[in-house]
């Protein structure tokens, strides 16, 4: 049996789900997605759980989809097909979700951050919507990401794929706080302590209020975005981008002489 990639622990009313696949930067492999989805369902069903914390091991929070699994896979076999379920579980969880980032997030990893209610990162963490640079589209993650981000920043960052730092991430609405490493756990604990003071039913109702129109339209939007993402992952352009990334070379669509 493969080693567990998502650890589940409960203490003092807090369920902590820890991504533990540092060898591939906590990429969203099929196993990790399945275990994360199961863990979220378990936390929601457990009456003793009041708050969910999404944590990680290793230097990277989450690098996004596992490109090794995406390479050569057809549209129907792309991992992005079951990712909407995870994002929707996070967004609509009746229990508040706090993301703790001790390192960078990329692509689908940013989707996890956006779907959480509160997100705290070390100020050295970096972020990037890298999809366009490998020939795919940040379609599925756009469902939770776009409601969070300043519109101008969204156009810039999703179209360019440029890297941005934690301070900027906080400034455009992706994070609640960017703090020094030695303050990360204290800051997360402060948010968690505040959340567990709320009455469970009142918290759930308030979350539903805050989700608004996004929650009501989420299933339809995910269905459309899932198809778009899967098509691009399986497309010739997407497969070329994935191959170029793995081979550490320039994709064929970049004009000769252009800066890397």
């Amino acid at each position: 049996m493969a080693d567990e990639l998502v650890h589940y622990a409960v203490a003092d009313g807090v369920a902590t789900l820890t991504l533990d696949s540092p060898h591939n930067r906590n990429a969203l492999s099929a196993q990790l997605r399945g275990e994360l989805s199961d863990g979220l369902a378990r936390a929601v069903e457990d009456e003793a759980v009041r708050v969910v914390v999404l944590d990680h091991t290793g230097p990277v929070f989450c690098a996004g989809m596992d490109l090794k699994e995406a390479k050569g896979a057809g549209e129907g076999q792309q991992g992005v097909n079951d990712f909407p379920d995870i994002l929707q579980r996070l967004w609509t969880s009746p229990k508040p979700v706090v993301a703790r980032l001790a390192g960078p997030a990329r692509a689908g990893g940013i989707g996890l951050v956006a779907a959480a209610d509160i997100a705290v990162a070390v100020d050295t963490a970096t972020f990037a919507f890298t999809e366009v640079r490998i020939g795919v589209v940040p379609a599925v993650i756009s469902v939770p990401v776009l409601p969070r981000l300043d519109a101008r920043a969204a156009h810039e960052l999703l179209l360019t794929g440029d890297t941005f730092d934690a301070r900027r991430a906080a400034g455009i609405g992706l994070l609640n706080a960017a703090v020094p490493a030695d303050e990360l756990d204290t800051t997360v604990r402060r948010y968690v302590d505040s959340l567990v003071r709320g009455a469970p039913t009142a918290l759930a109702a308030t979350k539903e209020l805050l989700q608004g129109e996004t929650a009501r339209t989420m299933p339809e939007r995910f269905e459309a975005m899932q198809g778009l993402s899967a098509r691009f992952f399986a497309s010739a352009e997407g497969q070329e981008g994935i191959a170029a990334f793995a081979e550490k070379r320039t994709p064929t669509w970049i004009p000769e002489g252009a800066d890397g």
Side-chain angles (χ1 to χ4, degrees):
M1 182 175 177
D3 291 339
E4 185 177 72
L5 299 184
V6 179
H7 307 306
Y8 182 93
V10 177
D12 302 322
V14 180
T16 301
L17 299 175
T18 304
L19 310 183
D20 186 20
S21 186
H23 72 281
N24 65 356
R25 303 188 302 160
N26 291 317
L28 294 161
S29 63
Q31 182 186 342
L32 188 144
R33 295 193 311 273
E35 292 180 11
L36 179 55
S37 183
D38 290 346
L40 290 169
R42 183 177 174 185
V44 168
E45 292 167 4
D46 188 346
E47 293 184 0
V49 172
R50 305 286 299 282
V51 178
V52 179
V53 174
L54 190 56
D55 200 355
H56 67 103
T57 65
V60 175
F61 174 72
C62 179
M65 281 294 155
D66 189 330
L67 297 183
K68 288 184 179 179
E69 293 182 351
K71 185 177 181 180
E75 185 176 331
Q77 289 72 51
Q78 290 295 334
V80 73
N81 286 317
D82 58 26
F83 195 38
D85 176 68
I86 294 172
L87 297 178
Q88 189 161 347
R89 284 181 186 272
L90 288 166
W91 189 275
T92 62
S93 163
K95 301 170 183 185
V97 179
V98 179
R100 173 194 178 277
L101 287 78
R106 296 288 187 270
I110 302 180
L112 298 178
V113 176
D117 297 288
I118 292 172
V120 183
V122 292
D123 54 12
T124 55
T126 60
F127 303 83
F129 297 98
T130 51
E131 287 88 345
V132 293
R133 296 202 175 186
I134 60 166
V136 299
V137 179
V140 165
I141 68 167
S142 73
V143 179
V145 164
L146 294 183
R148 301 291 190 205
L149 296 192
D150 168 80
R152 280 292 184 189
H155 278 251
E156 172 196 342
L157 298 171
L158 271 69
L159 288 171
T160 65
D162 285 346
T163 301
F164 55 104
D165 62 23
R167 298 292 184 189
R168 177 121 195 250
I172 61 177
L174 182 63
L175 299 176
N176 293 84
V179 299
D182 60 0
E183 296 179 17
L184 178 63
D185 289 331
T186 301
T187 305
V188 170
R189 186 73 243 177
R190 177 166 50 83
Y191 279 118
V192 170
D193 288 345
S194 293
L195 290 167
V196 297
R197 291 177 177 272
T201 305
L203 281 172
T206 302
K207 272 208 62 171
E208 188 173 354
L209 176 74
L210 290 166
Q211 290 160 10
E213 187 64 21
T214 298
R216 288 189 287 274
T217 62
M218 191 168 267
E220 293 79 11
R221 293 183 64 205
F222 269 139
E223 184 177 0
M225 295 300 100
Q226 171 189 326
L228 179 61
S229 279
R231 284 199 305 276
F232 269 85
F233 267 101
S235 70
E237 192 171 84
Q239 289 295 307
E240 160 61 14
I242 291 168
F245 179 83
E247 296 164 14
K248 296 180 173 56
R249 61 173 173 81
T250 301
T252 56
W253 62 75
I254 296 181
E256 187 176 350
D259 292 336

mmCIF file of all heavy atoms in Angstrom, residues 52-81:
data_model
loop_
_atom_site.group_PDB
_atom_site.id
_atom_site.type_symbol
_atom_site.label_atom_id
_atom_site.label_comp_id
_atom_site.label_asym_id
_atom_site.label_seq_id
_atom_site.Cartn_x
_atom_site.Cartn_y
_atom_site.Cartn_z
ATOM 1 N N VAL A 52 -11.141 23.621 10.336
ATOM 2 C CA VAL A 52 -10.237 22.783 9.542
ATOM 3 C C VAL A 52 -9.006 23.600 9.174
ATOM 4 O O VAL A 52 -9.127 24.736 8.699
ATOM 5 C CB VAL A 52 -10.929 22.278 8.262
ATOM 6 C CG1 VAL A 52 -9.966 21.436 7.427
ATOM 7 C CG2 VAL A 52 -12.190 21.494 8.601
ATOM 8 N N VAL A 53 -7.832 23.034 9.389
ATOM 9 C CA VAL A 53 -6.574 23.683 9.004
ATOM 10 C C VAL A 53 -5.938 22.862 7.895
ATOM 11 O O VAL A 53 -5.781 21.643 8.028
ATOM 12 C CB VAL A 53 -5.613 23.821 10.193
ATOM 13 C CG1 VAL A 53 -4.252 24.355 9.728
ATOM 14 C CG2 VAL A 53 -6.195 24.752 11.250
ATOM 15 N N LEU A 54 -5.583 23.520 6.812
ATOM 16 C CA LEU A 54 -4.892 22.879 5.688
ATOM 17 C C LEU A 54 -3.416 23.226 5.782
ATOM 18 O O LEU A 54 -3.032 24.389 5.644
ATOM 19 C CB LEU A 54 -5.493 23.373 4.371
ATOM 20 C CG LEU A 54 -5.073 22.657 3.083
ATOM 21 C CD1 LEU A 54 -5.361 21.164 3.176
ATOM 22 C CD2 LEU A 54 -5.802 23.268 1.898
ATOM 23 N N ASP A 55 -2.603 22.213 6.043
ATOM 24 C CA ASP A 55 -1.176 22.401 6.324
ATOM 25 C C ASP A 55 -0.345 21.583 5.336
ATOM 26 O O ASP A 55 -0.886 20.905 4.460
ATOM 27 C CB ASP A 55 -0.898 21.969 7.769
ATOM 28 C CG ASP A 55 0.379 22.546 8.349
ATOM 29 O OD1 ASP A 55 1.129 23.220 7.614
ATOM 30 O OD2 ASP A 55 0.641 22.310 9.553
ATOM 31 N N HIS A 56 0.961 21.611 5.470
ATOM 32 C CA HIS A 56 1.832 20.844 4.570
ATOM 33 C C HIS A 56 3.172 20.565 5.211
ATOM 34 O O HIS A 56 3.589 21.255 6.152
ATOM 35 C CB HIS A 56 2.063 21.610 3.263
ATOM 36 C CG HIS A 56 2.853 22.879 3.433
ATOM 37 N ND1 HIS A 56 4.183 22.986 3.093
ATOM 38 C CD2 HIS A 56 2.500 24.092 3.913
ATOM 39 C CE1 HIS A 56 4.612 24.219 3.344
ATOM 40 N NE2 HIS A 56 3.606 24.908 3.849
ATOM 41 N N THR A 57 3.858 19.556 4.687
ATOM 42 C CA THR A 57 5.256 19.313 5.027
ATOM 43 C C THR A 57 6.109 19.784 3.855
ATOM 44 O O THR A 57 5.611 20.026 2.757
ATOM 45 C CB THR A 57 5.533 17.818 5.281
ATOM 46 O OG1 THR A 57 5.319 17.098 4.055
ATOM 47 C CG2 THR A 57 4.614 17.264 6.353
ATOM 48 N N GLY A 58 7.412 19.892 4.087
ATOM 49 C CA GLY A 58 8.321 20.289 3.020
ATOM 50 C C GLY A 58 8.290 21.782 2.762
ATOM 51 O O GLY A 58 7.482 22.521 3.320
ATOM 52 N N PRO A 59 9.159 22.245 1.876
ATOM 53 C CA PRO A 59 9.306 23.681 1.636
ATOM 54 C C PRO A 59 8.240 24.302 0.748
ATOM 55 O O PRO A 59 8.167 25.522 0.643
ATOM 56 C CB PRO A 59 10.680 23.782 0.966
ATOM 57 C CG PRO A 59 10.850 22.466 0.272
ATOM 58 C CD PRO A 59 10.182 21.460 1.148
ATOM 59 N N VAL A 60 7.409 23.477 0.074
ATOM 60 C CA VAL A 60 6.399 23.997 -0.854
ATOM 61 C C VAL A 60 5.010 23.591 -0.384
ATOM 62 O O VAL A 60 4.779 22.419 -0.056
ATOM 63 C CB VAL A 60 6.642 23.464 -2.288
ATOM 64 C CG1 VAL A 60 5.533 23.905 -3.227
ATOM 65 C CG2 VAL A 60 7.997 23.920 -2.796
ATOM 66 N N PHE A 61 4.089 24.544 -0.350
ATOM 67 C CA PHE A 61 2.708 24.235 0.040
ATOM 68 C C PHE A 61 2.073 23.291 -0.961
ATOM 69 O O PHE A 61 1.637 22.198 -0.620
ATOM 70 C CB PHE A 61 1.902 25.530 0.150
ATOM 71 C CG PHE A 61 0.433 25.299 0.407
ATOM 72 C CD1 PHE A 61 -0.008 24.842 1.642
ATOM 73 C CD2 PHE A 61 -0.503 25.528 -0.592
ATOM 74 C CE1 PHE A 61 -1.356 24.613 1.879
ATOM 75 C CE2 PHE A 61 -1.855 25.310 -0.362
ATOM 76 C CZ PHE A 61 -2.283 24.850 0.875
ATOM 77 N N CYS A 62 2.021 23.696 -2.226
ATOM 78 C CA CYS A 62 1.460 22.841 -3.274
ATOM 79 C C CYS A 62 1.838 23.398 -4.632
ATOM 80 O O CYS A 62 1.612 24.580 -4.914
ATOM 81 C CB CYS A 62 -0.061 22.741 -3.152
ATOM 82 S SG CYS A 62 -0.829 21.732 -4.439
ATOM 83 N N ALA A 63 2.404 22.534 -5.494
ATOM 84 C CA ALA A 63 2.888 22.954 -6.809
ATOM 85 C C ALA A 63 1.826 22.877 -7.896
ATOM 86 O O ALA A 63 2.111 23.163 -9.055
ATOM 87 C CB ALA A 63 4.081 22.093 -7.207
ATOM 88 N N GLY A 64 0.610 22.469 -7.552
ATOM 89 C CA GLY A 64 -0.435 22.345 -8.556
ATOM 90 C C GLY A 64 -0.570 20.911 -9.040
ATOM 91 O O GLY A 64 -0.131 19.968 -8.382
ATOM 92 N N MET A 65 -1.200 20.733 -10.198
ATOM 93 C CA MET A 65 -1.437 19.397 -10.725
ATOM 94 C C MET A 65 -0.126 18.629 -10.951
ATOM 95 O O MET A 65 0.895 19.224 -11.286
ATOM 96 C CB MET A 65 -2.203 19.477 -12.048
ATOM 97 C CG MET A 65 -3.680 19.723 -11.872
ATOM 98 S SD MET A 65 -4.493 18.338 -11.065
ATOM 99 C CE MET A 65 -5.904 19.184 -10.354
ATOM 100 N N ASP A 66 -0.189 17.315 -10.774
ATOM 101 C CA ASP A 66 0.968 16.468 -11.002
ATOM 102 C C ASP A 66 1.144 16.309 -12.516
ATOM 103 O O ASP A 66 0.396 15.566 -13.167
ATOM 104 C CB ASP A 66 0.737 15.105 -10.344
ATOM 105 C CG ASP A 66 1.983 14.239 -10.350
ATOM 106 O OD1 ASP A 66 2.809 14.387 -11.280
ATOM 107 O OD2 ASP A 66 2.137 13.405 -9.449
ATOM 108 N N LEU A 67 2.115 17.001 -13.083
ATOM 109 C CA LEU A 67 2.301 17.000 -14.536
ATOM 110 C C LEU A 67 2.790 15.660 -15.065
ATOM 111 O O LEU A 67 2.570 15.339 -16.238
ATOM 112 C CB LEU A 67 3.263 18.116 -14.939
ATOM 113 C CG LEU A 67 2.784 19.540 -14.626
ATOM 114 C CD1 LEU A 67 3.789 20.559 -15.147
ATOM 115 C CD2 LEU A 67 1.401 19.806 -15.209
ATOM 116 N N LYS A 68 3.421 14.862 -14.221
ATOM 117 C CA LYS A 68 3.834 13.530 -14.664
ATOM 118 C C LYS A 68 2.614 12.687 -14.993
ATOM 119 O O LYS A 68 2.617 11.892 -15.932
ATOM 120 C CB LYS A 68 4.695 12.858 -13.596
ATOM 121 C CG LYS A 68 6.083 13.454 -13.455
ATOM 122 C CD LYS A 68 6.913 12.679 -12.452
ATOM 123 C CE LYS A 68 8.316 13.274 -12.346
ATOM 124 N NZ LYS A 68 9.142 12.544 -11.339
ATOM 125 N N GLU A 69 1.559 12.832 -14.201
ATOM 126 C CA GLU A 69 0.330 12.095 -14.462
ATOM 127 C C GLU A 69 -0.429 12.685 -15.643
ATOM 128 O O GLU A 69 -1.151 11.975 -16.348
ATOM 129 C CB GLU A 69 -0.564 12.082 -13.223
ATOM 130 C CG GLU A 69 0.013 11.290 -12.060
ATOM 131 C CD GLU A 69 -0.898 11.231 -10.855
ATOM 132 O OE1 GLU A 69 -1.922 11.947 -10.835
ATOM 133 O OE2 GLU A 69 -0.600 10.463 -9.930
ATOM 134 N N ALA A 70 -0.282 13.992 -15.869
ATOM 135 C CA ALA A 70 -1.001 14.650 -16.963
ATOM 136 C C ALA A 70 -0.385 14.341 -18.327
ATOM 137 O O ALA A 70 -1.077 14.352 -19.347
ATOM 138 C CB ALA A 70 -1.018 16.171 -16.742
ATOM 139 N N LYS A 71 0.915 14.031 -18.343
ATOM 140 C CA LYS A 71 1.598 13.784 -19.605
ATOM 141 C C LYS A 71 1.062 12.522 -20.275
ATOM 142 O O LYS A 71 1.039 11.443 -19.688
ATOM 143 C CB LYS A 71 3.104 13.649 -19.371
ATOM 144 C CG LYS A 71 3.914 13.515 -20.648
ATOM 145 C CD LYS A 71 5.406 13.463 -20.350
ATOM 146 C CE LYS A 71 6.231 13.364 -21.616
ATOM 147 N NZ LYS A 71 7.686 13.306 -21.343
ATOM 148 N N GLY A 72 0.595 12.673 -21.488
ATOM 149 C CA GLY A 72 0.101 11.543 -22.257
ATOM 150 C C GLY A 72 -1.312 11.104 -21.937
ATOM 151 O O GLY A 72 -1.845 10.209 -22.591
ATOM 152 N N ALA A 73 -1.938 11.729 -20.945
ATOM 153 C CA ALA A 73 -3.298 11.346 -20.562
ATOM 154 C C ALA A 73 -4.317 12.030 -21.468
ATOM 155 O O ALA A 73 -4.132 13.179 -21.878
ATOM 156 C CB ALA A 73 -3.567 11.720 -19.112
ATOM 157 N N GLY A 74 -5.380 11.325 -21.791
ATOM 158 C CA GLY A 74 -6.445 11.900 -22.594
ATOM 159 C C GLY A 74 -7.303 12.849 -21.790
ATOM 160 O O GLY A 74 -7.164 12.957 -20.569
ATOM 161 N N GLU A 75 -8.210 13.519 -22.470
ATOM 162 C CA GLU A 75 -9.061 14.515 -21.811
ATOM 163 C C GLU A 75 -9.826 13.923 -20.633
ATOM 164 O O GLU A 75 -9.938 14.537 -19.573
ATOM 165 C CB GLU A 75 -10.033 15.091 -22.841
ATOM 166 C CG GLU A 75 -10.894 16.213 -22.320
ATOM 167 C CD GLU A 75 -11.764 16.808 -23.418
ATOM 168 O OE1 GLU A 75 -11.355 16.775 -24.597
ATOM 169 O OE2 GLU A 75 -12.863 17.294 -23.081
ATOM 170 N N GLY A 76 -10.354 12.718 -20.805
ATOM 171 C CA GLY A 76 -11.144 12.103 -19.743
ATOM 172 C C GLY A 76 -10.335 11.578 -18.583
ATOM 173 O O GLY A 76 -10.889 11.275 -17.517
ATOM 174 N N GLN A 77 -9.013 11.466 -18.761
ATOM 175 C CA GLN A 77 -8.159 10.925 -17.702
ATOM 176 C C GLN A 77 -7.364 11.995 -16.960
ATOM 177 O O GLN A 77 -6.543 11.677 -16.097
ATOM 178 C CB GLN A 77 -7.174 9.905 -18.297
ATOM 179 C CG GLN A 77 -7.804 8.579 -18.738
ATOM 180 C CD GLN A 77 -8.633 8.725 -19.984
ATOM 181 O OE1 GLN A 77 -8.164 9.281 -20.988
ATOM 182 N NE2 GLN A 77 -9.866 8.230 -19.951
ATOM 183 N N GLN A 78 -7.585 13.250 -17.293
ATOM 184 C CA GLN A 78 -6.832 14.317 -16.647
ATOM 185 C C GLN A 78 -7.281 14.504 -15.195
ATOM 186 O O GLN A 78 -8.469 14.494 -14.885
ATOM 187 C CB GLN A 78 -6.989 15.621 -17.413
ATOM 188 C CG GLN A 78 -6.288 15.639 -18.760
ATOM 189 C CD GLN A 78 -4.772 15.543 -18.635
ATOM 190 O OE1 GLN A 78 -4.192 15.925 -17.622
ATOM 191 N NE2 GLN A 78 -4.131 15.043 -19.682
ATOM 192 N N GLY A 79 -6.307 14.684 -14.310
ATOM 193 C CA GLY A 79 -6.599 14.845 -12.888
ATOM 194 C C GLY A 79 -7.455 16.047 -12.565
ATOM 195 O O GLY A 79 -8.144 16.070 -11.544
ATOM 196 N N VAL A 80 -7.416 17.044 -13.433
ATOM 197 C CA VAL A 80 -8.190 18.247 -13.183
ATOM 198 C C VAL A 80 -9.687 17.946 -13.161
ATOM 199 O O VAL A 80 -10.485 18.727 -12.636
ATOM 200 C CB VAL A 80 -7.852 19.321 -14.242
ATOM 201 C CG1 VAL A 80 -8.458 18.964 -15.601
ATOM 202 C CG2 VAL A 80 -8.285 20.705 -13.793
ATOM 203 N N ASN A 81 -10.096 16.797 -13.690
ATOM 204 C CA ASN A 81 -11.517 16.460 -13.738
ATOM 205 C C ASN A 81 -12.145 16.291 -12.358
ATOM 206 O O ASN A 81 -13.329 16.581 -12.180
ATOM 207 C CB ASN A 81 -11.734 15.181 -14.567
ATOM 208 C CG ASN A 81 -11.577 15.429 -16.051
ATOM 209 O OD1 ASN A 81 -12.059 16.408 -16.585
ATOM 210 N ND2 ASN A 81 -10.873 14.536 -16.732
#
